[in-house]
Amino acid sequence: MTTHATPGVRREDATGTPPRRPTRVPAERYYSTAFAQLETERMWPRVWQVACTVDHVAEPGDYFEYRCGPYSVLIVRDDDGTLRAFQNVCRHRGNSLCAGSGTGLRELRCGYHGWTWDLAGKLTRVPNRKGFGALPLADLPLFTVRVDTWERLVFVNLDLSAPSLADYLEAVPSDIAWLGLGDFRCYATMTVDVDANWKTIADGFSETYHIQTLHPELHRCMDDVHAPQVIWGHTGKSEQLYGVPSPRLKQSLTDAEVWDAYVCTQGALMGVAENTPFPGGRPVMDEIAHHIRAFAAGRGVDVSWASTDQLMRLHQYNVFPNLTVLANADHLTVMCSRPGADPDHGELVMMLWMRMPAGAPRGTPADIRLAADQAEPGLVLTQDISVLAGLQRGLHQPGLTHLTLSAEERRVINLHRNLDRYLDLPEHERIRGGDTGAGSA
């Protein structure tokens, strides 16, 4: 048997200092129509949300419609190359101006009565204008939405007085700056329709507590114990080292067994097919890192600068309310969850990226939409998706008045603390217990 050292590991565990008692979160937050309405009125219009990538709107005339609940935002690249965003509504009778995404847009013309704006949002034409009497065109521009970018991600915010995106992201950009996110290109987005609330979806990507049960294969090649977490405010982070078995496992694993588990769950990240035997000759973590470097080199990418730790340690960032960024030196996946037609439905959006060589041509990502039972985005994510509908049903059961959360689930707790604040909930409706010691257990 092999003893698996974890060089450079920060020995803080995922739990940290235990609280005096668990945190209790009202279960109805996940299915209540009234609570969802509060989110729609008080939270969604005030937060920065990732909408698309810069490659969706790279050239003048490119456009992308972003929807979140009842809100629709139209993102366009205007004739001067400026990125703009508007509420997707005609100021005559409220018709939506555009749907989906595309290229070659020259103007924004309402398909109902023909009112027309230029790509900078200026009203340029009103058919039969004299019928309106005095109607200065300058008085009716499109409603502006704030738009900004972080690396190759495009964010929007309906609140014109909200903090800047840079302030909202807090320490995340500086913490991940070493990675060079701008060198990645998004090749596809996958939207999965799920029978679950958007928070039910988001919670699954905000803790590692479930790894030992839901992901037994991953548990054999990932340290879910020494997984330090930090909370900054709107944002939080966890780290997990791959290429080592979980310290929770009672039996020792050979390097070959760890290799098999990694290939089963993450083999695509190093270009190795399932059932490829362990080559040997190096410790398993170094062997995996070697294959990752070779896989990158095969597509013209040099990651020789990255240490084995930088290739094997996953950095998982959460940005309130619904964004997760998973990254290491040669891997990037961006995920977000969004509300569906009612509180029991939502969608999981996965943006899939690949590090590309300098000067690689730009391509527009393929956008795919699937039902939950059709989506198979790899073993681990498919396992994550498979439990969501059952979770949502369970939350409705009358005996479950509250979720009971541990410090290991602190990023889930942080989401609810931010909800408390954005929704301005009365004290008796806020989460209880945990680190604050507020309320009763």
Side-chain angles (χ1 to χ4, degrees):
M1 295 298 177
T2 303
T3 300
H4 297 277
T6 53
V9 170
R10 290 168 56 187
R11 300 306 293 179
E12 179 187 348
D13 67 26
T15 299
T17 303
R20 285 179 284 174
R21 50 185 170 267
T23 297
R24 289 162 53 82
V25 176
E28 67 177 359
R29 290 185 175 202
Y30 288 80
Y31 58 82
S32 162
T33 300
F35 195 87
Q37 185 61 33
L38 280 180
E39 293 174 339
T40 297
E41 294 173 358
R42 300 181 184 180
M43 187 271 287
W44 289 114
R46 297 170 54 203
V47 293
W48 285 98
Q49 303 166 53
V50 67
C52 61
T53 76
V54 294
D55 288 330
H56 283 100
V57 283
E59 303 294 335
D62 289 355
Y63 66 94
F64 186 94
E65 182 201 12
Y66 171 69
R67 292 186 186 180
C68 180
Y71 302 112
S72 174
V73 174
L74 184 60
I75 303 161
V76 300
R77 185 76 67 172
D78 75 10
D79 296 331
D80 297 327
T82 301
L83 190 63
R84 299 182 183 274
F86 308 103
Q87 294 182 32
N88 187 16
V89 58
C90 175
R91 295 198 61 177
H92 171 220
R93 294 264 295 277
N95 188 39
S96 297
L97 297 173
C98 283
S101 61
T103 62
L105 201 64
R106 294 289 173 261
E107 60 187 13
L108 295 167
R109 181 177 179 273
C110 177
Y112 197 8
H113 297 95
W115 284 40
T116 304
W117 289 260
D118 65 20
L119 298 187
K122 177 183 176 182
L123 183 61
T124 59
R125 180 173 179 267
V126 175
N128 304 327
R129 182 176 165 191
K130 69 179 183 180
F132 293 91
L135 185 70
L137 298 185
D139 289 350
L140 291 166
L142 294 179
F143 298 111
T144 298
V145 173
R146 293 185 68 179
V147 61
D148 204 347
T149 60
W150 171 42
E151 296 291 355
R152 305 189 70 79
L153 293 170
V154 177
F155 288 76
V156 295
N157 193 324
L158 288 158
D159 183 0
L160 300 182
S161 62
S164 69
L165 176 62
D167 287 343
Y168 193 89
L169 293 175
E170 298 166 335
V172 172
S174 60
D175 194 79
I176 203 175
W178 65 274
L179 183 65
L181 288 179
D183 295 335
F184 287 82
R185 297 291 184 274
C186 179
Y187 60 89
T189 68
M190 179 185 296
T191 300
V192 182
D193 292 309
V194 180
D195 293 341
N197 187 268
W198 70 269
K199 295 183 291 298
T200 306
I201 302 168
D203 288 354
F205 304 108
S206 302
E207 47 89 1
T208 56
Y209 186 37
H210 70 281
I211 299 294
Q212 56 192 309
T213 305
L214 184 60
H215 306 307
E217 301 89 352
L218 191 60
H219 205 224
R220 295 167 66 84
C221 63
M222 190 197 87
D223 186 346
D224 60 331
V225 173
H226 303 108
Q229 300 188 71
V230 62
I231 300 295
W232 289 301
H234 282 109
T235 61
K237 177 190 177 183
S238 175
E239 299 175 11
Q240 304 103 42
L241 188 67
Y242 283 69
V244 295
S246 170
R248 299 187 202 273
L249 293 174
K250 293 181 171 60
Q251 76 277 21
S252 297
L253 299 184
T254 65
D255 276 3
E257 289 171 322
V258 174
W259 167 270
D260 289 344
Y262 189 89
V263 170
C264 175
T265 59
Q266 317 285 311
L269 302 184
M270 58 175 179
V272 173
E274 193 168 352
N275 298 320
T276 299
F278 178 50
R282 299 181 179 89
V284 62
M285 191 186 300
D286 292 333
E287 187 65 38
I288 294 171
H290 168 76
H291 278 77
I292 292 173
R293 294 187 184 100
F295 182 51
R299 60 181 192 274
V301 173
D302 179 13
V303 290
S304 62
W305 54 268
S307 67
T308 295
D309 186 88
Q310 288 173 317
L311 289 166
M312 300 305 298
R313 186 180 299 279
L314 186 70
H315 299 256
Q316 181 169 337
Y317 298 89
N318 296 93
V319 180
F320 179 81
N322 62 340
L323 175 63
T324 296
V325 177
L326 305 170
N328 63 29
D330 196 44
H331 171 67
L332 176 65
T333 299
V334 176
M335 299 187 292
C336 61
S337 59
R338 295 171 187 158
D342 58 58
D344 286 318
H345 293 86
E347 56 186 39
L348 168 63
V349 181
M350 291 173 279
M351 299 181 179
L352 310 176
W353 303 71
M354 183 172 288
R355 187 184 286 278
M356 299 298 289
R362 181 192 69 81
T364 302
D367 295 321
I368 306 162
R369 191 171 200 113
L370 298 167
D373 59 359
Q374 299 173 319
E376 295 184 0
L379 175 65
V380 175
L381 287 173
T382 301
Q383 289 169 336
D384 285 321
I385 292 169
S386 71
V387 301
L388 292 172
L391 276 167
Q392 191 66 28
R393 284 194 301 272
L395 289 161
H396 279 273
Q397 304 314 304
L400 187 73
T401 60
H402 289 79
L403 285 65
T404 304
L405 304 182
S406 77
E408 195 166 347
E409 298 160 293
R410 73 188 73 171
R411 285 173 289 142
V412 178
I413 294 168
N414 192 54
L415 181 149
H416 286 280
R417 285 179 175 154
N418 276 297
L419 276 175
D420 284 350
R421 181 164 56 89
Y422 272 86
L423 304 188
D424 193 24
L425 297 176
E427 188 62 33
H428 71 277
E429 294 182 11
R430 298 190 172 219
I431 63 175
R432 317 290 283 178
D435 292 333
T436 64
S440 58

